[in-house]
């Protein structure tokens, strides 16, 4: 079977689940035996046949995906070299190729040793079927995997090029910021440990203290100051919920004539004309939060799949998260991430529940609020999606 690649590929459109499973097992056997060239030839032939036929590609996609994943998750120089030579997806559009490379970067960062990655992927003489953007994503995926990038000079050199060439990911730090330390896996973590926060949840790993406020309204002038630019920035981490799925997003800014203290925020919050509760007499229940919890919430929303379509994966998910934090804290669009973090540390963060007809309450709901430094500016972000 291993030598009859043409026959295997030709039979894939009619293959049943048992045959697909058998071929997947064959790939695993070849990986264990170090037969990377055979897997590379198979993946290349699958891609070529799928492109030439232009017909149903389900079986082709399954086998190509299994080959890519198997190579990416097997830590060796040879598997990486083979992976460089094959496409990561059957998609031919720029959007599809970009998504495939984002996913591939995540798989490689989690499956391969950093020293092998530097040697194979960041050597200037390496030949690759993948774009510069793949390597840019890979650097950030390594950062999120707690790799100390400073130990790898070729990776640093490439990262400096990204900055000089104004690549979108070039603005991200090459090490985890203090607020991102919660993403680092503890040495004694359980097998199912994750930093991800279920969107909308106020019961799983979240503060339980309800902030009820008082029974009277504060006599403070409040004005909504929302503008499209700010709303778009705040929504960066969840924008794909509405562009590729059934999601909807609300992002609002408010200004108060007098500064308010953190303990006054629940009373002011009840007076805000928040879009998800505009047609209902009761306002959202308010919970305290922290910057690192808000970051986890937004990063979870950015990286995990919405109801339809993929997530942004780690690299662009991290970028979108800091863009949202920049919008929520009122920072200009070109503010460095490190400065956004400084401003965000001086803000007060909150979460609300999702008990409103506006939220679908299926599995994708999010609602956060922030009182910015100075006490006169409030930002609110809510998102929901459904299948």
């Amino acid at each position: 079977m291993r030598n009859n690649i043409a026959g295997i590929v030709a039979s894939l459109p009619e293959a049943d689940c048992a045959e697909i499973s058998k071929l997947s097992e064959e790939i695993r056997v070849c990986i264990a035996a170090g037969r990377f060239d055979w897997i590379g030839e198979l993946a290349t032939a699958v891609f070529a046949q799928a492109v030439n036929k232009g017909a149903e590609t389900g079986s082709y996609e399954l086998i190509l995906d299994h080959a890519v994943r198997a190579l990416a998750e097997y830590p060796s120089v040879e598997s990486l070299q083979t992976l460089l030579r094959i496409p990561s997806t059957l998609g031919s559009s720029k959007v599809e190729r970009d998504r495939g490379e984002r996913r591939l970067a995540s798989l490689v960062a989690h499956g391969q040793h950093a020293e092998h990655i530097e040697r194979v992927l960041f050597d200037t003489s390496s030949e690759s079927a993948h774009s510069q953007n793949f390597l840019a994503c890979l650097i950030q995926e390594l950062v999120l995997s707690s790799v100390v990038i400073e130990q790898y000079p070729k990776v640093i050199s490439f990262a400096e090029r990204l900055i000089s060439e104004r690549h979108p990911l070039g603005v991200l730090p090459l090490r985890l910021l203090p607020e991102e330390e919660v993403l680092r896996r503890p040495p004694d973590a359980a097998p199912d440990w994750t930093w991800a926060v279920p969107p909308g949840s106020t019961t799983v790993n979240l503060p339980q203290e309800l902030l009820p406020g008082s029974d009277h309204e504060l006599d403070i002038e409040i004005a909504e100051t929302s503008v499209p630019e700010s709303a778009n920035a705040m929504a960066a981490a969840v924008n794909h919920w509405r562009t590729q799925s059934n999601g909807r997003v609300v992002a609002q800014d408010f200004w108060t004539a007098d500064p308010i203290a953190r303990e006054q925020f629940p009373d002011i919050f009840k007076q805000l004309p928040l879009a998800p509760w505009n047609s209902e007499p009761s306002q959202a229940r308010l919970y305290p939060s922290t910057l690192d919890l808000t970051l986890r919430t937004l990063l979870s929303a950015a990286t995990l799949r919405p109801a339809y379509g993929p997530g942004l994966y780690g690299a662009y998910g991290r970028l979108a998260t800091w863009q949202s934090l920049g919008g929520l804290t009122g920072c200009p669009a070109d503010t460095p991430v490190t400065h956004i973090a400084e401003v965000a540390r001086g803000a007060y963060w909150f979460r609300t529940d999702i008990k409103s007809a506006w939220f679908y309450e299926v599995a994708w709901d999010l609602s956060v609020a922030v009182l910015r430094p100075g006490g006169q500016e409030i930002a609110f972000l809510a998102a929901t999606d459904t299948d």
Side-chain angles (χ1 to χ4, degrees), residues 139 149 153-167 170 174:
I139 291 176
I149 298 297
K154 291 181 181 178
V155 180
I156 289 290
S157 178
F158 187 86
E160 291 171 348
R161 280 177 49 197
L162 296 178
I163 297 173
S164 64
E165 295 173 5
R166 297 185 179 275
H167 189 280
L174 296 179

Side-chain angles (χ1 to χ4, degrees), residues 143-189:
V143 173
L144 290 170
S145 299
S146 303
V147 171
V148 182
I149 298 297
E150 289 88 345
Q151 295 179 357
Y152 303 96
K154 291 181 181 178
V155 180
I156 289 290
S157 178
F158 187 86
E160 291 171 348
R161 280 177 49 197
L162 296 178
I163 297 173
S164 64
E165 295 173 5
R166 297 185 179 275
H167 189 280
L169 297 177
V171 302
L172 292 173
L174 296 179
R175 63 175 63 184
L176 294 177
L177 297 180
E179 296 72 28
E180 296 174 314
E181 288 293 324
V182 293
L183 310 178
R184 196 185 299 275
R185 184 182 183 88
D188 57 349

Side-chain angles (χ1 to χ4, degrees), residues 21 27 52 77 84 89 92 164 171 190 192 198 216 222 234 238 306 374:
S21 179
I27 291 173
N52 289 337
V77 168
L84 279 181
T89 177
S92 57
S164 64
V171 302
D192 61 349
H216 65 278
I222 303 172
M234 285 191 276
V238 289

Side-chain angles (χ1 to χ4, degrees), residues 105-118:
S106 178
L107 291 173
V108 169
H110 288 86
Q112 298 288 331
H113 300 312
E115 56 268 26
H116 292 167
I117 291 173
E118 180 184 44

Side-chain angles (χ1 to χ4, degrees), residues 12-227:
L12 278 177
E14 289 76 39
D16 58 23
C17 292
E19 292 169 319
I20 294 295
S21 179
K22 184 177 180 181
L23 182 53
S24 297
E25 178 60 30
E26 185 74 7
I27 291 173
R28 286 192 289 271
V29 169
C30 286
I31 281 283
R35 295 197 56 179
F36 306 111
D37 287 344
W38 184 86
I39 299 173
E41 291 173 14
L42 175 66
T44 301
V46 163
F47 179 81
Q49 184 77 348
V51 170
N52 289 337
K53 289 183 71 69
E56 293 295 326
T57 59
S59 297
Y60 297 126
E61 288 176 348
L62 286 172
I63 295 304
L64 179 61
D65 178 76
H66 194 83
V68 167
R69 182 181 288 274
L71 288 168
E73 295 177 350
Y74 188 85
S76 79
V77 168
E78 292 79 10
S79 65
L80 270 175
Q81 290 172 332
T82 303
L83 195 58
L84 279 181
R85 299 195 296 268
I86 66 175
S88 58
T89 177
L90 294 181
S92 57
S93 71
K94 184 180 184 304
V95 170
E96 291 170 317
R97 292 197 305 271
D98 179 63
R99 286 176 178 171
E101 290 184 336
R102 291 187 191 190
R103 174 177 177 269
L104 180 63
S106 178
L107 291 173
V108 169
H110 288 86
Q112 298 288 331
H113 300 312
E115 56 268 26
H116 292 167
I117 291 173
E118 180 184 44
R119 173 181 167 186
V120 175
L121 293 167
F122 290 92
D123 191 315
T124 55
S125 63
S126 294
E127 294 184 4
S128 175
H130 304 291
S131 68
Q132 181 192 64
N133 192 55
F134 163 65
L135 296 180
C137 289
L138 182 54
I139 291 176
Q140 288 301 317
E141 293 286 359
L142 289 171
V143 173
L144 290 170
S145 299
S146 303
V147 171
V148 182
I149 298 297
E150 289 88 345
Q151 295 179 357
Y152 303 96
K154 291 181 181 178
V155 180
I156 289 290
S157 178
F158 187 86
E160 291 171 348
R161 280 177 49 197
L162 296 178
I163 297 173
S164 64
E165 295 173 5
R166 297 185 179 275
H167 189 280
L169 297 177
V171 302
L172 292 173
L174 296 179
R175 63 175 63 184
L176 294 177
L177 297 180
E179 296 72 28
E180 296 174 314
E181 288 293 324
V182 293
L183 310 178
R184 196 185 299 275
R185 184 182 183 88
D188 57 349
D192 61 349
W193 178 89
T194 177
W195 53 260
V197 175
S201 172
T202 55
T203 60
V204 181
N205 299 323
L206 300 179
Q208 296 302 298
E209 177 192 355
L210 183 66
L211 299 176
S214 63
D215 295 328
H216 65 278
E217 291 188 357
L218 293 179
D219 186 17
I220 297 178
E221 179 186 352
I222 303 172
E224 182 166 0
T225 57
S226 305
V227 294

